[in-house]
Amino acid sequence: MPVAGANSGTTATPNGRQGQLRQQVYEQLRSAIEQGRLPAGMRLPPSREQAGSLGVSRNTVLWAVQRLQAEGYVEARVGDGTYVSQAAGTAPAQGLVAPPRGLSRRGQLIAETAARWRPPHVAARAFRIGAPEVETFPFALWDRLARRASPGQRSARAQYLDPAGDPDLRQAIALWLWASRGIRCDAAQVVVCSGSQQGIDLIARLLLDVGDEVLVEDPGYPGIRASLLAHGVQARPVALDAQGLCIAEGAAQWPGARMAVVTPTHQFPTGVCMGLARRQALLQWARTHDAWVVEDDYDGEFQYGNAAQRVPALCSLPGSERVLYVGTFSKTLHPGLRLGFVVVPPALVEAFAMARAITDRHAPGDTQAVLARFIAEGHLLRHLRQMRELYQERQRILIHALADASDGAQRLAPSDRGMHLLLESTPGSDDETLSRKALTAGVMLAPLSRYAMQSQRRGWLFGYAGYSEAEIVGAARMVARLAQL
């Protein structure tokens, strides 16, 4: 059953199961409208067509549509079908309510920016990007490591702690970065934060002023742009080529830029790896313009094949003194940890630690301590070895499943890194329609246009890391089917 959640394993009577399916179809349609996937004024597909694509009865779809009509999300036009109502499209994008009156100008800016960018809160389902495998995470081992703490250690961690992070964790991260990403840094340069998004936020608050210009990849990660915009910073789009961000073009167009934010190991979302010459040009630009480079290494640990052939971090190169490295455990372990880190120049450590203290004081002490042991005792290394093998196999399954389901019409190119693949379409084409159809059918297929500012590149992103073979194959068949409608 392709409807999300239908195979949850719960038992139900036929009537109960029918009620579950109705609710699921209703919630998926409502979510698509609230998130802007089904925009105001759009005509919904006929109920028979929706029922066929979802694999449910027509009555199930009619029930969901009638409820949406009663709530004002859609309106029926006699003889002309059902349309998303204009009232449903008056709320800000992504389903957020309008910012309340009384906010400061800065607060208004933050609220409006958040309305344009809001990560999904629903449970991960194929092909949502950035979702790691969590079912096989060694939770039992994690619990055993947590229980090893003595009463005295637990009491100490119940106090206010160093906002820069647990000393043992900072040391473990520094040693790991040297062994895995080629980065030579002192433990004192590591500032622990609540994921990479907080790291970007700290950087923007401390190193940029309102009105400053920052070069960003186009297409690129919207969470970075949202953080910059929320601080009144101007995000300036720079095109990509086969070597990554075109720094020469960006420097010529925006000569006053104070920073560049890049994903050099596995560019998000295109998957390009920045070449050595381009990396050196970027570092030279930073030195010449007294600017900063932010390296977001969001999934740099997932490089497949021979370890000797893995690309080290940009921050590992000579002359990288003006690079701030942002790392996260949301991909390497799981997002529920809410732990990441920033590697900053020694002179900036105290400022970053105090800014972190102003925000939320420090990360949970017990979690930091367990993670420190998890890294130091080699468990992170073993876990990543297993995940690399698993993700590489799931990538292979995805490629074959989509090709088989589409009779070879949709072919994904394999990649030796990352957690998602990109299927590009004709530049400037409509990639939103298929994504909307897929979302209605319970498949999260992000359109490439969602990540573009000026770029006309189009296509779809297929996340594969966190999904079983059955989920990947089922979702691939659904996408292939919808693409033919």
Side-chain angles (χ1 to χ4, degrees):
M1 176 63 65
V3 177
N7 294 323
S8 61
T10 57
T11 59
T13 65
N15 289 337
R17 181 172 178 79
Q18 181 66 26
Q20 289 177 350
L21 291 176
R22 288 176 174 178
Q23 185 68 20
Q24 289 166 6
V25 172
Y26 158 76
E27 290 177 354
Q28 289 170 8
L29 287 171
R30 176 173 169 173
S31 176
I33 294 171
E34 291 179 337
Q35 294 179 4
R37 302 292 87 200
L38 296 176
M42 178 182 177
R43 185 177 185 274
L44 297 183
S47 57
R48 292 187 187 278
E49 180 180 319
Q50 291 189 64
S53 65
L54 291 170
V56 299
S57 70
R58 184 184 178 217
N59 286 338
T60 296
V61 174
L62 288 173
W63 182 91
V65 172
Q66 288 170 359
R67 179 171 174 180
L68 290 170
Q69 183 178 351
E71 295 174 349
Y73 284 89
V74 300
E75 55 189 26
R77 301 178 186 176
V78 178
D80 193 27
T82 303
Y83 290 76
V84 178
S85 68
Q86 293 297 326
T90 57
Q94 306 290 332
L96 289 184
V97 297
R101 294 182 178 181
L103 291 176
S104 66
R105 286 192 296 271
R106 185 178 186 84
Q108 186 80 12
L109 177 62
I110 292 174
E112 291 175 352
T113 300
R116 292 190 294 269
W117 176 77
R118 186 185 189 186
H121 300 299
V122 298
R125 58 178 182 262
F127 293 106
R128 178 175 173 178
I129 55 177
E133 167 62 33
V134 297
E135 295 296 328
T136 60
F137 182 81
F139 290 106
L141 168 63
W142 187 272
D143 291 341
R144 287 198 300 272
L145 294 176
R147 289 194 296 269
R148 279 169 41 184
S150 68
Q153 290 173 325
R154 290 182 176 177
S155 296
R157 291 172 195 143
Q159 305 297 325
Y160 289 111
L161 305 175
D162 186 345
D166 180 272
D168 291 339
L169 178 57
R170 297 167 75 189
Q171 180 66 34
I173 291 173
L175 293 174
W176 174 260
L177 288 175
W178 165 233
S180 180
R181 306 298 291 128
I183 300 173
R184 289 182 178 272
C185 68
D186 189 82
Q189 294 178 249
V190 178
V191 177
V192 178
C193 51
S194 299
S196 59
Q197 193 67 30
Q198 187 182 55
I200 297 294
D201 181 79
L202 287 171
I203 290 170
R205 279 197 287 144
L206 288 167
L207 301 183
L208 298 169
D209 291 318
V210 173
D212 279 352
E213 296 178 333
V214 176
L215 307 182
V216 297
E217 299 165 326
D218 186 23
Y221 181 54
I224 292 174
R225 299 200 300 266
S227 183
L228 296 173
L229 291 172
H231 288 287
V233 175
Q234 304 298 313
R236 301 303 190 188
V238 180
L240 308 169
D241 61 15
Q243 296 297 311
L245 180 136
C246 301
I247 184 59
E249 178 180 325
Q253 189 171 8
W254 314 109
R258 298 274 297 115
M259 180 182 290
V261 185
V262 293
T263 51
T265 301
H266 183 240
Q267 198 278 328
F268 183 89
T270 67
V272 170
C273 179
M274 184 178 286
L276 178 60
R278 185 64 57 80
R279 291 176 180 230
Q280 292 173 334
L282 181 61
L283 297 179
Q284 181 60 44
W285 168 83
R287 290 192 297 270
T288 302
H289 291 78
D290 196 26
W292 297 101
V293 174
V294 177
E295 177 179 12
D296 181 4
D297 201 29
Y298 68 104
D299 67 355
E301 294 289 357
F302 297 113
Q303 301 185 53
Y304 312 123
N306 191 338
Q309 297 176 341
R310 293 174 189 157
V311 178
L314 170 69
C315 193
S316 69
L317 293 179
S320 60
E321 294 81 7
R322 300 196 65 79
V323 176
L324 294 95
Y325 179 92
V326 180
T328 178
F329 293 102
S330 294
K331 306 295 188 295
T332 52
L333 296 178
H334 64 78
L337 283 178
R338 301 314 313 139
L339 286 178
F341 58 92
V342 183
V343 178
V344 302
L348 297 180
V349 171
E350 182 66 14
F352 270 74
M354 291 303 98
R356 172 70 205 272
I358 291 173
T359 303
D360 60 353
R361 195 58 183 255
H362 57 74
D366 286 339
T367 304
Q368 291 189 76
V370 176
L371 179 56
R373 288 195 291 270
F374 192 86
I375 299 173
E377 295 180 10
H379 304 302
L380 176 60
L381 175 62
R382 284 188 289 274
H383 180 70
L384 284 176
R385 283 175 178 169
Q386 295 173 357
M387 293 303 100
R388 290 185 187 113
E389 293 178 1
L390 179 63
Y391 293 175
Q392 191 171 23
E393 173 62 12
R394 288 181 173 177
Q395 183 189 118
R396 185 194 66 80
I397 291 170
L398 168 61
I399 292 172
H400 287 288
L402 189 62
D404 290 345
S406 64
D407 294 326
Q410 298 166 354
R411 293 187 177 275
L412 291 161
S415 174
D416 57 1
R417 54 178 54 87
M419 302 166 66
H420 71 269
L421 293 176
L422 170 64
L423 178 64
E424 289 210 54
S425 59
T426 305
S429 62
D430 172 25
D431 56 5
E432 290 276 358
T433 297
L434 179 58
S435 295
R436 286 194 295 266
K437 290 180 179 179
L439 184 62
T440 303
V443 177
M444 301 184 74
L445 185 66
L448 183 58
S449 58
R450 181 179 300 169
Y451 306 102
M453 297 178 71
Q454 297 178 354
S455 172
Q456 292 300 305
R457 295 178 68 171
R458 297 293 183 266
W460 302 272
L461 276 64
F462 292 77
Y464 55 81
Y467 313 106
S468 67
E469 179 175 357
E471 290 174 314
I472 291 172
V473 172
R477 289 173 178 169
M478 177 60 71
V479 170
R481 180 180 179 182
L482 294 172
Q484 296 172 0
L485 296 178

